[in-house]
Amino acid sequence: MLELKLDRVSRHYKQKIAVDRLEFTFGKGIYGLLGANGAGKTTLLRMMVGVLKPTSGEILCDGQEIGKMAGEYRRKLGYLPQDLGYYPNFTVWRYLEYLAELKAVPPELAVERIEKLLQFTGLAKSGKEKIKTLSGGMIRRMGIAQSLLNDPEILILDEPTSGLDPRERIRFRNMISALGRDRMVLLSSHIVSDIEYIADEILIMKGGKITESGNLQKILKTVEGNVWECVKEPEQAELLNQQFTVSNLKNTEDGKVVLRIVSDTQPVEGAVRIPPNLEDVYLYGTREKSFGPRV
């Protein structure tokens, strides 16, 4: 049974603690990692793929420290970084062929893998095109293809849908969902809906720590009773928007405003409790202080 364990993992940069004594165990399935910029997500992922070493603690794969596994761990691993490096004058096929060589995929197997992955990512007709001619979405799909060349058991994706239009994001979500059936997938994103739709387990990260973890139903229960809805005149809606954390604000046809407010207490007379969604949990989990009026 595949297992990747964080054992009190920390990473410091001079006076800054980017990741703070994390403990968590991953198995097969799709894990969604949510957090604001600077929460420590990318630093954590870079340690998990071996690009960075922890300042303290260990990352264990099936009981072995990954730094001591060397090539054995890399053969298990596929990685799509937030900023994918590539040679713009390479064709898609040549790029994947080159990466297959670096990953020590046997040449006869590489051809078969590249053909299948181009088909899987919707790039079958683009193999001979130069990368510099591709759209952003096509380059991200190529990034998914390169991460799968060695048929990894562990797939780590850092902001894979960043900058994509809605159609490309849906295509990516569907691909990632299919990949999670028989491997471990860790998907980092600040786009809440991407995580909500496909993750089997959700982790919310803040200040280098995991503040919440669990499936969607468990995560939603953490803010039950703290999400409110009210309908107000525009002037009062503006005041509430300044005083409270408003997760949604919608104008009605009769000129009023419907507000969705995340607050520990009733924000205003007439506000009623409503079921939370993951965006509410994200706002609650990354809060600076308990929710209530801003002062």
Side-chain angles (χ1 to χ4, degrees):
M1 181 67 178
L2 181 66
E3 181 180 276
L4 193 61
K5 181 178 181 180
L6 308 177
D7 184 11
R8 294 165 294 176
V9 172
S10 296
R11 175 71 189 194
H12 301 174
Y13 295 102
K14 295 182 180 179
Q15 301 302 315
K16 178 179 172 58
I17 301 175
V19 173
D20 190 8
R21 293 169 293 174
L22 288 191
E23 295 192 41
F24 196 83
T25 300
F26 300 89
K28 286 187 177 179
I30 300 175
Y31 296 81
L33 181 62
L34 275 173
N37 292 335
K41 303 190 305 297
T42 293
T43 297
L44 174 60
L45 298 191
R46 286 168 67 84
M47 287 192 290
M48 292 176 70
V49 300
V51 174
L52 292 176
K53 290 184 178 181
T55 304
S56 61
E58 292 183 313
I59 301 174
L60 306 169
C61 181
D62 292 336
Q64 292 182 272
E65 205 280 316
I66 63 172
K68 297 176 182 178
M69 295 174 68
E72 182 185 355
Y73 182 64
R74 288 195 295 272
R75 283 190 290 273
K76 292 178 179 286
L77 185 68
Y79 177 44
L80 175 59
Q82 188 171 352
D83 297 311
L84 179 67
Y86 57 84
Y87 299 100
N89 286 315
F90 272 25
T91 64
V92 174
W93 183 280
R94 176 63 189 124
Y95 173 76
L96 294 177
E97 190 176 49
Y98 172 67
L99 267 293
E101 292 173 9
L102 293 181
K103 292 172 186 262
V105 179
E108 64 278 6
L109 180 59
V111 172
E112 179 184 346
R113 292 289 298 163
I114 291 170
E115 288 177 347
K116 287 184 177 180
L117 288 170
L118 288 177
Q119 191 70 40
F120 175 69
T121 56
L123 293 172
K125 296 180 180 179
S126 304
K128 295 181 180 179
E129 295 182 22
K130 290 188 175 182
I131 298 174
K132 65 182 180 182
T133 68
L134 303 181
S135 67
M138 294 172 78
I139 289 174
R140 297 307 279 174
R141 280 188 265 154
M142 184 184 71
I144 282 280
Q146 67 79 27
S147 72
L148 294 168
L149 282 166
N150 56 330
D151 195 18
E153 297 178 69
I154 302 168
L155 186 60
I156 295 180
L157 311 171
D158 192 2
E159 300 285 357
T161 63
S162 180
L164 301 184
D165 64 38
R167 184 178 295 275
E168 283 287 355
R169 280 179 49 219
I170 292 169
R171 180 195 291 268
F172 254 85
R173 287 206 306 256
N174 292 341
M175 279 194 290
I176 294 165
S177 184
L179 292 169
R181 295 191 194 111
D182 57 358
R183 71 189 82 221
M184 179 194 303
V185 179
L186 177 55
L187 164 69
S188 168
S189 181
H190 64 276
I191 301 173
V192 175
S193 60
D194 288 346
I195 301 295
E196 186 168 19
Y197 283 126
I198 64 173
D200 301 311
E201 187 152 359
I202 298 164
L203 293 80
I204 297 178
M205 197 167 179
K206 176 195 171 187
K209 295 179 178 289
I210 294 173
T211 57
E212 300 287 349
S213 66
N215 60 31
L216 181 60
Q217 290 71 31
K218 178 183 175 183
I219 288 284
L220 292 180
K221 285 181 180 178
T222 63
V223 295
E224 278 186 359
N226 295 321
V227 184
W228 307 79
E229 185 174 88
C230 59
V231 181
K232 297 297 176 183
E233 298 292 340
E235 295 80 9
Q236 190 174 6
E238 179 59 32
L239 289 174
L240 289 170
N241 194 29
Q242 294 174 13
Q243 292 177 323
F244 292 89
T245 296
V246 176
S247 62
N248 194 50
L249 188 151
K250 183 179 180 181
N251 295 314
T252 65
E253 292 182 357
D254 61 359
K256 294 186 178 181
V257 181
V258 180
L259 297 99
R260 184 185 187 96
I261 299 173
V262 185
S263 174
D264 287 323
T265 58
Q266 186 182 37
V268 66
E269 186 177 348
V272 295
R273 288 188 172 96
I274 58 174
N277 59 33
L278 186 57
E279 196 166 68
D280 301 320
V281 179
Y282 173 72
L283 288 172
Y284 196 89
T286 56
R287 68 197 186 281
E288 294 301 321
K289 298 179 180 178
S290 295
F291 274 111
R294 294 177 187 157
V295 293

